[in-house]
Amino acid sequence: DEVERRRIERVLAVARAYLAVLAFLAYYMRPTEPAEYRELVSTLLAFYVLSAMVILYSVGSAPRLTAQFTNFIHFTDILWPAAITSFTSGPNSPFVEVLTVFALLAAGHRWGLHEALATALLCVQVILLQSYPWGLAGWGQVNLATLITPATFVFVTAFLVGFLADAEKQ
């Protein structure tokens, strides 16, 4: 119902805002490699913070939260990690775990197991796209183990989050 959807989106909006600010501060204090993208990553993280604040304001002030608006927010929860990790070592980026887990948590909290697994599939596709052949790592520089570890982490996390969310809703 509308009251429950609004409560869920408010909780997620506050968590997203905290996460964005903390990610920005963490990167500011200790930038990651590659060094040539540091300024770009700082800018992306600043826009992520701005985006999180706009979503927080929108969720709080919107008279009604539509399914399209919720889907758009979820899309941004997948898009921001994809953009940021593309310039911070791809699958090896420290942002893969933190930002991707938030997208999985949001999917599980909003909808449940199947949607969390669908989100995991999209996140793993992003990891694969960042690797070959046009990813920053280039041809032949990413081995299979580099892809299996984050992909397994994403799917296991999605399953656990979705399973627990479904159990909570029942």
Side-chain angles (χ1 to χ4, degrees):
D1 73 325
E2 179 66 25
V3 173
E4 180 65 10
R5 186 182 330 182
R6 182 172 291 283
R7 185 192 67 77
I8 288 170
E9 290 305 322
R10 232 182 254 134
V11 167
L12 291 173
V14 170
R16 182 183 302 102
Y18 277 115
L19 176 65
V21 169
L22 291 174
F24 179 81
L25 291 174
Y27 187 79
Y28 180 77
M29 292 189 318
R30 186 166 179 240
T32 61
E33 296 297 326
E36 65 264 20
Y37 296 117
R38 286 186 179 154
E39 201 169 302
L40 176 62
V41 173
S42 292
T43 303
L44 285 172
L45 284 167
F47 277 110
Y48 180 46
V49 170
L50 180 64
S51 169
M53 296 304 167
V54 167
I55 290 171
L56 179 62
Y57 175 77
S58 298
V59 166
S61 64
R64 184 171 171 270
L65 298 177
T66 64
Q68 291 85 4
F69 181 69
T70 303
N71 290 341
F72 174 76
I73 293 172
H74 188 65
F75 174 73
T76 65
D77 287 341
I78 297 169
L79 180 67
W80 281 114
I84 293 166
T85 58
S86 291
F87 299 100
T88 56
S89 303
N92 300 318
S93 172
F95 293 108
V96 167
E97 289 88 6
V98 176
L99 299 179
T100 302
V101 165
F102 179 77
L104 299 173
L105 287 169
H109 198 61
R110 280 184 187 113
W111 302 299
L113 177 62
H114 294 120
E115 290 80 359
L117 290 173
T119 299
L121 185 60
L122 286 173
C123 292
V124 168
Q125 288 176 347
V126 167
I127 291 169
L128 292 173
L129 286 173
Q130 291 172 339
S131 300
Y132 289 110
W134 46 82
L136 294 178
W139 284 100
Q141 295 181 10
V142 176
N143 62 31
L144 190 57
T146 313
L147 299 174
I148 289 175
T149 302
T152 302
F153 172 78
V154 166
F155 275 114
V156 168
T157 303
F159 178 78
L160 292 173
V161 165
F163 179 78
L164 291 172
D166 278 354
E168 172 81 18
K169 289 177 183 185
Q170 289 177 2

